[in-house]
């Protein structure tokens, strides 16, 4: 065994995961095949809201290759199965039952109404065409404000309302700050704005899929999921399958971004169908189905009021949200805006804060977690309104931020939301970013272009952000009525040959856990990076966990690995002392060796592992095992932060935007693998920029999704994006022994407001103070032509010229 | 219909339904599951393979159209246990995360380099326009393709010469 001398943590290791992925030797769920495998396809409602009058499956049943056709009545005769929601945010939250298949009414276009099982996928899809469903259309509910107006048609008649719940936080009531109404009424400047968070599609590249094999004594389910452990528990609770008789495997998973966090009706259907038939069944959706039926993200209307003194001291912040849940509650959907509630104050010392969110049901695809989940929405609102406030006050937007942010020497700092930010250095990140960006030079160029009335105008956008990562302390989650804890689990198995198997409950889908965890273990145990194998995504091998979301893997799961390693060393030490015939206290452990202090006598962890395997010569009463496991429950969140700067060129004649440069300096604490960190930031930036410029779902007036494929929904390609300049500062987190903060969501959270601020900055002199996302050339051009006014009022569309007609027709690209 | 296709150097003769897409033939009949399907509108490019040396989206080619042709998939790139320089460059430059788009991305990059052995950044970005990635933000993919171009340039060593000579891996085209 090779002792590692240089620390692995901090090294830009190339990934262990890559080999199988670049050679095509992967195990995507759709690659899995089993003897006698049948294929399942789902018939989906073409209507957003309709009563199901009748379903005739007789023709489909006799179609070629078809084994069975099921409706809700067949799969769930007594209507007892309801898809789980783990986050009932208030005791009185209205929660409609979400069936596995619609039986009486369909509540969004894409909801499943029947399934076909056939010998091949093509035959199953062919037979869908033979199912005759008679629908009686009901009025659709698409607009959130209309949905909560008196007399609105109801999505779920039995609930008597389209309001799911109202959730509030008030700093005066919580004792964490002042009264916001007092602040607003007594402040010199008050600004009110309305921002919209358009609905987005997570758009992981691998469509969702699952395979269920019921042919053994245990049911095995493979699924393209982010949450195999949660899926197992929820399947057991939902369908009554004994948990120990169910094994869930997330094999290679082609991206998630929160979009694979749900427990799916299709997964439950597959389980039910496979058990009924006693044969393995695969469900693999098409991209068009993904766009319709996999959950969407964002979709909020944000009314923001900020108050300040004339010299730029923010005095209060009031946030009123409408959040569109879609037709049902997703697994964590109702809680997504609540995650954002704690982030609207961002990096600023805001003395008074009030937050109220109304969750609304509409006849649309449900929404749930999407990269950042609540925090991008919050960051967007605060960073946009800080820019608007700067304009109102005649201040440089950076100066306004600097005036209000928490200073480096003020950490730890308890915010108006009651969160304690452990560490941060906004000054350092900002200074570095400004230097890389040439902030002053670009401001000078902007002035020149304005003066010369250049048709291409330049704008500079700032976004300074923080987020809460490392979801999360279990007690905090409990206080927010989330149904599960936030701990993570790891185990270490020392093999006789000195190699190491590590299991982790954090199930990866592209983040590089196998590499980063190997680096951590190599340092902890002093073994070679190559000698560590990371097992994850299988409830049998890594038998418990809380899975991967919310940038929690490293800062919770990675720490569990460290805790498990500490236990291995503690177990090995008395055995090493026995082998070396010395006292335990005389031993020191470093670089994988136990050495007798002051002598050259030593034994390696591998030697101890072999001795334990043989078990011929162990101290009395010591069990022959070095294996260990640990569970880590963080005491606090971690708070990565950063400064993002964007320079955007806007062609004022066409509305076309070109991102000239994008610079960001992120502080993610200690970076275990800087190469992976950089990659995560790049990908996050692309997603956040895409929200600003390209992406957004649209429905027609009947509730049909008109952006239902990659041909209509503009996912950016390489040609649509610039290269980014990324850098880091490193202020270690004090809430975990690694000092890491999490990086998965940073780029997405920070980049959307940076880009929008830049574009608005470029065209503000045309009277533009807001443009709805995505900032399509048409919208930008309209804004330049008409300016925007009165963003706070509901009649903004009318006053905003062309934007009004765009909204009325459901948007325009 | 009866078709014969040579895939990654092995000749396969099969009866296929006329409607069968090449990607489904590869995956479901021949077990070549390294090539994946990401969409149903031929926008994502995840299924890109080489057909007689040129990249095609195998979801927009019928299996019968490949009759008598030579197909190279990502599984056929490595030779004698050695990765293709583009595969190696993707690894070296961290040009993948979840890896689902990667087979198509690699196949398209190889074709791109066959057309333009020394592309600048913009040329790479435009050359990869038909292949979507949701993880990387493309920056490292662009870096990887340009790195591979260096590795494969004339005089870059025996590996470059081998690739240049070996049409079978799809470089060179006509």
């Amino acid at each position: 065994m090779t002792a590692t001398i240089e620390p692995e943590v901090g090294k830009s290791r190339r990934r262990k995961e890559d080999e199988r992925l670049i050679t095509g030797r992967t195990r995507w769920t759709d690659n899995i095949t089993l003897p006698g495998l049948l294929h399942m396809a789902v018939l989906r409602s073409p209507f957003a809201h309709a009563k199901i009058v009748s379903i005739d499956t007789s023709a489909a049943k006799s179609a070629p290759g078809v084994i069975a056709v099921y409706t809700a009545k067949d799969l769930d005769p007594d209507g007892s199965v309801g898809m789980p929601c783990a986050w009932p945010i208030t005791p009185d939250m209205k929660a409609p039952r979400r069936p596995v298949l619609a039986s009486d009414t369909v509540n969004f276009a894409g909801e499943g109404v029947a399934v076909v099982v056939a010998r091949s996928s093509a035959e199953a899809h062919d037979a869908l065409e033979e199912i005759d469903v008679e629908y009686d259309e009901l009025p659709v509910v698409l607009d959130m404000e209309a949905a909560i107006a008196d007399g609105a048609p109801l999505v779920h008649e039995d609930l008597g309302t389209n309001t799911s719940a109202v959730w509030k936080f008030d700093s005066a009531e919580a004792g964490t700050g002042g009264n916001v109404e007092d602040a607003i009424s007594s402040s010199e400047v008050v600004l009110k704005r309305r921002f919209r968070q358009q609905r987005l599609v997570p758009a992981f590249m691998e469509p969702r899929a699952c395979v269920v094999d019921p042919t053994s004594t245990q049911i095995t389910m493979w699924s393209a999921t982010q949450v195999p452990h949660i899926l197992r528990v929820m399947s057991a609770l939902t369908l009554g399958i004994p948990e120990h008789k169910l094994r869930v495997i997330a094999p290679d998973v082609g991206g998630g971004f929160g979009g694979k966090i749900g427990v799916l009706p299709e997964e439950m259907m597959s389980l039910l169908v496979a058990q009924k038939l006693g044969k393995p069944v695969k469900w693999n959706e098409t991209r068009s189905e993904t766009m319709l039926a996999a959950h969407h993200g964002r979709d909020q209307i944000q009314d923001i009021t900020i108050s300040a003194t004339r010299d730029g001291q923010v005095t209060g912040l009031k946030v009123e949200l409408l959040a569109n849940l879609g037709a049902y509650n997703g697994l964590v959907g109702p809680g997504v805006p609540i995650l954002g509630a704690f982030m609207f104050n961002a990096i600023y010392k805001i003395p008074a804060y009030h937050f109220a969110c109304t969750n609304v049901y509409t006849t649309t695809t449900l929404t749930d977690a999407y990269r950042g989940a609540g925090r991008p929405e919050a960051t967007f609102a605060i960073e946009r309104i800080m820019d608007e406030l700067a304009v109102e006050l005649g201040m440089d937007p950076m100066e306004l931020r600097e005036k209000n942010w928490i200073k480096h020497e003020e950490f730890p700092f308890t915010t108006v939301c009651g969160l304690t930010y452990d560490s941060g250095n906004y000054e350092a990140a900002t200074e570095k970013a400004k230097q890389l960006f040439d902030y002053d030079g670009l401001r000078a160029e902007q002035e020149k272009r304005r003066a010369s009335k250049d048709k291409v105008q330049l704008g500079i956008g700032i976004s300074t952000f923080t987020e809460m990562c490392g979801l999360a302390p279990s007690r905090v989650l409990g206080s927010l009525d989330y149904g599960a804890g936030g701990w993570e689990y790891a185990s270490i198995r020392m093999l006789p040959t000195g190699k190491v198997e590590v299991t982790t409950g954090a199930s990866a889908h592209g983040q590089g856990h196998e590499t980063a965890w190997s680096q951590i273990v190599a340092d902890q145990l002093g073994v070679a990076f190559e000698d560590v194998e990371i097992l994850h995504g299988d409830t049998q091998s890594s038998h418990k966990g809380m899975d991967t979301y919310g940038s929690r893997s490293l800062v919770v799961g990675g720490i569990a690995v460290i805790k498990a390693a500490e236990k291995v060393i503690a177990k090995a030490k008395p055995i090493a002392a026995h082998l070396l015939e010395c006292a335990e206290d005389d031993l020191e452990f470093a670089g994988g060796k136990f050495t007798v202090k002051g002598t050259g006598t030593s034994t390696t962890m591998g030697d101890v592992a072999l001795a334990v395997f043989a078990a011929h010569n162990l101290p009395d009463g010591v069990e022959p095992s070095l294996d260990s496991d640990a569970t880590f429950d963080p005491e606090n969140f971690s708070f990565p932060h950063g400064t993002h700067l964007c320079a955007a060129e806007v062609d004022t004649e066409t509305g076309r935007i070109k991102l000239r440069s994008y610079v960001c300096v992120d502080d993610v604490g200690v970076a275990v693998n800087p190469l992976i960190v950089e990659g995560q930031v790049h990908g996050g930036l692309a997603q956040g920029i895409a929200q600003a410029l390209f992406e957004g779902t649209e429905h027609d007036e009947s509730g049909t999704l008109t952006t239902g494929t990659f041909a209509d929904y503009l996912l950016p390609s390489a040609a649509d994006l610039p290269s980014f300049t990324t850098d880091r500062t490193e202020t270690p987190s004090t809430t975990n022994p690694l000092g890491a903060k999490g990086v998965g969501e940073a780029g997405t959270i920070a980049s959307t407001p940076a880009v929008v601020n830049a574009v608005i900055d470029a065209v503000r002199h045309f009277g533009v103070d807001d443009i709805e996302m995505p900032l399509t050339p048409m919208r930008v051009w309209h804004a330049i032509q008409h300016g925007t006014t009165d963003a706070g009022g509901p009649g903004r569309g009318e006053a905003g010229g062309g934007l009004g007609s765009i909204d009325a027709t459901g948007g325009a690209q | 219909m009866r078709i014969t296709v040579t895939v990654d150097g092995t000749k396969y003769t099969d009866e296929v339904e006329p409607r069968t897409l090449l990607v489904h033939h590869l995956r479901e009949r021949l077990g070549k599951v390294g090539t994946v399907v990401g969409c149903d509108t031929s926008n994502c490019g995840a299924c890109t393979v080489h057909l007689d040396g040129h990249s095609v989206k195998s979801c927009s080619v019928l299996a019968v159209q490949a009759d008598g042709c030579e197909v190279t998939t990502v599984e056929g790139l490595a030779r004698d246990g050695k990765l293709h320089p583009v595969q190696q460059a993707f690894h070296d430059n961290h040009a993948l995360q979840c890896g689902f788009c990667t087979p198509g991305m690699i196949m398209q990059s190889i074709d791109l380099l066959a057309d333009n052995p020394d592309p600048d950044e913009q040329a790479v970005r435009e050359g990869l326009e038909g292949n979507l990635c949701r993880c990387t933000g493309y920056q490292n993919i662009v870096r990887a393709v340009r790195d591979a171009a260096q590795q494969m340039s004339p005089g870059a060593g025996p590996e470059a010469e081998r690739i240049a000579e070996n049409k079978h891996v799809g470089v060179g085209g006509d």
Side-chain angles (χ1 to χ4, degrees):
Chain A
M1 189 173 61
T2 319
T4 311
I5 296 171
E6 254 186 80
E8 281 288 339
V9 168
K11 253 192 212 174
S12 282
R13 272 276 185 195
R14 289 174 295 163
R15 298 195 318 170
K16 285 186 166 182
E17 289 85 344
D18 290 354
E19 190 183 343
R20 64 181 188 271
L21 299 169
I22 56 177
T23 54
R25 288 186 288 105
T26 35
R27 263 164 70 90
W28 310 112
T29 300
D30 189 31
N31 293 2
I32 286 159
T33 190
L34 297 162
L37 183 67
L38 299 173
H39 297 262
M40 187 182 94
V42 180
L43 181 70
R44 299 186 182 279
S45 165
F47 297 108
H49 203 196
K51 283 224 170 295
I52 298 171
V53 179
S54 63
I55 307 176
D56 182 355
T57 59
S58 52
K61 278 178 177 156
S62 56
V66 170
I67 305 296
V69 182
Y70 300 109
T71 64
K73 266 186 254 158
D74 309 311
L75 287 190
D76 180 25
D78 56 1
S80 62
V81 178
M83 296 305 300
C85 170
W87 206 336
I89 56 171
T90 63
D92 62 350
M93 184 179 95
K94 308 277 190 215
R97 181 179 77 96
R98 184 186 187 195
V100 282
L101 284 169
S103 55
D104 304 320
T105 61
V106 287
N107 295 308
F108 68 95
E111 187 167 6
V113 294
V115 295
V116 171
V117 186
R119 283 179 310 193
S120 75
S121 177
E123 285 167 330
H125 281 97
D126 283 349
L128 293 181
E129 309 278 329
E130 305 296 325
I131 300 175
D132 188 14
V133 186
E134 193 187 334
Y135 293 98
D136 195 356
E137 283 188 72
L138 294 167
V140 297
V141 185
L142 302 174
D143 179 89
M144 277 185 274
E145 286 183 297
I148 56 170
D150 286 343
L154 296 173
V155 181
H156 305 283
E157 281 287 343
D158 54 325
L159 298 185
T161 175
N162 290 326
T163 298
S164 167
V166 179
W167 193 93
K168 291 183 179 174
F169 176 88
D170 187 281
S171 62
E173 285 171 22
T176 54
N179 182 296
V180 85
E181 297 301 341
D182 292 347
I184 288 170
S185 62
S186 64
S187 289
E188 292 164 335
V189 179
V190 177
L191 199 65
K192 186 172 181 187
R193 284 299 169 87
R194 163 168 286 201
F195 301 117
R196 281 176 195 268
Q197 289 287 322
Q198 80 271 37
R199 183 180 274 244
L200 299 178
V201 174
F204 33 77
M205 292 313 298
E206 178 207 23
R208 303 174 304 166
C210 73
V211 175
V212 176
D213 181 6
T215 59
S216 174
T217 53
Q218 196 185 32
I219 299 170
T220 304
M221 172 160 61
W222 292 261
S223 180
T225 181
Q226 283 178 237
V227 290
H229 297 93
I230 290 173
L231 177 56
R232 183 198 199 198
V233 175
M234 290 297 171
S235 299
L237 291 172
T238 304
L239 300 181
I241 298 169
E243 194 179 342
H244 61 296
K245 295 289 184 188
L246 179 63
R247 173 185 182 186
V248 176
I249 302 171
D252 285 323
V253 176
F257 315 110
K260 287 176 179 167
I261 214 173
V263 171
L264 312 179
E266 292 86 354
E267 286 163 336
M268 298 306 105
M269 286 173 216
S270 303
L271 280 166
L272 290 167
V273 165
Q275 288 180 96
K276 264 183 182 295
L277 295 172
K279 293 194 170 126
V281 169
K282 178 191 283 187
W283 166 72
N284 190 55
E285 71 183 349
T286 63
R287 177 61 56 177
S288 306
E289 280 182 283
T290 315
M291 303 294 276
L292 265 181
H295 74 247
H296 297 162
R298 313 282 190 260
D299 207 349
Q300 293 182 357
I301 296 175
Q302 308 171 309
D303 286 310
I304 313 292
T305 311
I306 195 164
S307 61
T309 60
R310 188 41 71 190
D311 66 356
Q313 206 70 57
V314 175
T315 55
L317 181 69
K318 185 174 167 183
V319 175
E320 293 162 291
L321 294 188
L322 286 179
N324 192 346
L325 295 177
Y328 300 103
N329 294 307
L331 187 69
V332 299
V336 167
I338 311 312
L339 281 174
F342 299 93
M343 284 286 110
F344 277 91
N345 60 292
I347 65 169
Y348 307 115
K349 291 178 281 188
I350 292 176
Y353 176 62
H354 180 86
F355 172 94
C357 173
T358 303
N359 278 353
V360 182
Y361 293 118
T362 58
T363 52
T364 57
T365 302
L366 66 162
T367 62
D368 206 316
Y370 171 48
R371 202 169 191 171
R375 291 153 287 170
E377 295 92 319
T379 303
F380 181 84
I382 187 70
E383 288 304 288
R384 279 288 298 118
I385 207 157
M386 287 299 274
D387 257 35
E388 297 306 310
L389 182 62
V391 171
E392 186 75 19
L393 298 171
M395 282 178 82
D396 180 272
M398 189 62 94
E399 190 191 338
L400 178 67
R401 285 170 171 82
E402 287 168 3
K403 193 170 179 111
N404 284 282
W405 74 33
I406 302 156
K407 306 282 185 292
H408 181 48
E409 62 273 16
E410 292 173 302
F411 287 92
F413 183 90
T414 300
T415 74
V416 74
C417 297
L419 291 177
T420 299
Y421 294 177
D422 62 310
S423 71
N425 190 340
Y426 308 144
E427 294 90 334
T430 302
E431 194 46 47
K432 203 169 193 179
K434 278 167 82 171
Q435 280 174 17
L436 289 167
F437 187 67
D438 186 21
Y439 189 80
D440 297 335
L442 284 164
R443 280 275 181 231
E445 184 185 332
Q446 179 183 35
E447 284 309 310
K448 230 164 106 183
R449 282 180 186 250
R450 277 209 190 161
S452 68
K453 296 195 165 62
D454 196 326
K455 87 174 174 111
V456 179
Q457 289 290 316
L458 179 67
I460 293 169
I462 304 168
S463 170
T464 47
F465 84 104
T466 187
E467 59 167 323
M468 45 191 226
C469 283
L471 299 180
S474 296
R475 279 177 302 184
V476 175
L477 290 177
S479 74
L480 296 173
D481 299 307
Y482 180 63
W487 50 265
E488 196 46 87
Y489 170 82
S491 74
I492 294 181
R493 313 194 274 229
M494 285 302 303
L495 305 179
T497 51
K499 312 290 184 194
V500 188
E501 279 179 345
V502 178
T503 77
T504 171
S507 176
H509 41 281
Q511 294 92 338
H513 293 179
E514 291 167 36
T515 304
W517 276 220
S518 295
Q519 290 178 268
I520 291 171
V521 172
D523 277 1
Q524 292 293 317
L525 297 182
V527 297
F529 171 79
E530 294 78 13
D531 287 345
V532 185
E533 188 73 13
I534 309 296
L535 308 172
H536 61 92
D538 181 344
T539 59
Q540 194 150 292
S541 64
S542 52
H543 77 274
K544 60 181 177 174
M546 284 291 182
D547 307 312
T548 289
Y549 44 87
S551 292
R552 68 189 302 279
S553 293
L554 181 61
V555 287
V556 187
I559 309 306
V561 171
I562 291 176
K563 299 284 177 197
E566 285 168 355
K567 289 187 185 176
V568 169
I569 296 164
K571 276 181 140 180
K573 200 169 183 184
I575 300 168
H578 180 76
L579 295 174
L580 294 171
E581 296 177 340
C582 69
E584 250 187 86
D585 289 346
D586 292 338
L587 280 185
E588 57 190 7
F589 180 71
K593 279 184 187 169
F594 290 96
T595 307
V596 184
K597 284 177 205 165
T599 75
T601 313
S602 69
T603 185
T604 66
M605 185 62 88
D607 295 337
V608 177
L610 191 59
V612 164
F613 172 71
H616 298 159
N617 181 25
L618 299 180
D620 289 342
V622 165
E623 63 169 331
S625 164
L626 288 181
D627 296 353
S628 185
D629 65 358
T631 305
F632 179 69
D633 197 349
E635 283 181 11
N636 193 1
F637 299 91
S638 59
F639 298 94
H641 67 84
T643 297
H644 289 224
L645 298 170
C646 174
E649 290 180 347
V650 180
D651 185 325
T652 56
E653 290 176 3
T654 62
R656 198 186 155 91
I657 296 162
K658 184 184 163 210
L659 297 189
R660 174 149 134 204
S661 68
Y662 195 102
V663 168
C664 63
V665 174
D666 285 286
D667 195 323
V668 298
V670 172
V672 170
N673 184 323
L675 190 68
I676 290 176
V677 167
E678 188 192 32
Q680 288 273 320
V681 171
H682 288 171
L685 293 178
Q687 270 178 301
I689 291 169
Q691 172 168 18
L693 299 183
F694 306 118
E695 295 184 27
T697 66
E698 291 169 14
H699 295 84
D700 68 14
E701 66 279 2
S702 70
T704 300
L705 183 67
T706 56
T707 47
T709 69
F710 279 164
D712 317 293
Y713 185 88
L714 185 53
L715 214 64
S717 76
D720 298 313
L721 293 167
S723 279
F724 315 113
T725 303
T726 62
D727 208 335
R728 290 186 293 115
T729 53
E730 196 168 294
T731 314
S733 171
T734 63
T735 62
N736 67 65
L738 204 54
K741 294 182 177 177
V743 67
E745 296 151 310
T748 308
I749 291 173
S751 56
T752 312
V755 172
V756 175
N757 279 339
V759 174
I760 304 280
D761 187 52
V763 297
R764 189 178 292 282
H765 57 295
F766 292 99
V768 178
D769 62 7
D770 196 23
I771 307 172
E772 266 181 36
M773 296 186 290
L775 308 186
T776 59
M778 184 173 159
R779 283 182 174 164
V780 175
W781 183 84
H782 265 284
I784 293 168
Q785 298 304 308
H786 301 280
T788 48
T789 58
D790 188 25
R796 180 180 169 284
E798 206 178 319
L803 284 174
S805 58
I806 292 170
D807 291 344
T809 55
Q813 291 279 355
Chain B
M1 284 184 68
R2 195 174 176 79
I3 61 165
T4 300
V5 189
T6 302
V7 183
D8 299 333
T10 304
K11 194 181 262 195
Y12 300 90
T13 299
D14 292 276
E15 285 291 328
V16 299
E17 273 192 74
R19 66 169 176 174
T20 305
L21 299 173
L22 177 58
V23 66
H24 292 135
H25 183 59
L26 291 172
R27 286 180 56 80
E28 288 156 25
R29 184 68 71 88
L30 307 184
K32 287 279 177 181
V33 292
T35 302
V36 295
V37 183
C39 73
D40 42 32
T41 49
S42 74
N43 288 86
C44 82
C47 66
T48 304
V49 299
H50 292 174
L51 189 62
D52 285 343
H54 290 290
S55 70
V56 293
K57 291 180 176 179
S58 59
C59 73
S60 56
V61 175
L62 294 166
V64 294
Q65 290 176 284
D67 187 22
C69 295
E70 195 159 305
V71 172
T72 306
T73 78
V74 73
E75 295 171 64
L77 290 179
R79 282 284 183 278
D80 310 323
K82 201 164 168 49
L83 295 173
H84 187 283
V86 172
Q87 288 175 305
Q88 186 66 46
F90 268 61
H91 175 55
D92 291 345
N93 292 277
H94 186 36
L96 61 148
Q97 288 178 33
C98 83
F100 196 77
C101 75
T102 306
M105 230 16 124
I106 287 174
M107 300 313 286
Q108 181 58 25
S109 298
I110 292 171
D111 196 43
L112 187 164
L113 290 174
D115 284 346
N116 180 356
D118 187 21
D120 63 14
E121 179 181 334
Q122 196 54 32
V124 175
R125 287 186 178 275
E126 284 166 13
L128 296 177
E129 206 166 13
N131 291 66
L132 297 175
C133 169
R134 191 58 153 175
C135 295
T136 63
Y138 301 106
Q139 188 155 333
N140 288 349
I141 293 176
V142 174
R143 199 182 286 170
V145 175
R146 299 192 69 201
D147 179 23
Q150 295 301 312
Q151 303 302 324
M152 291 161 66
S153 64
E159 186 66 6
E161 308 313 323
R162 179 183 73 82
I163 294 299
E165 283 163 18
N166 195 347
K167 269 191 165 187
H168 184 74
V169 298
V171 172
D174 291 331

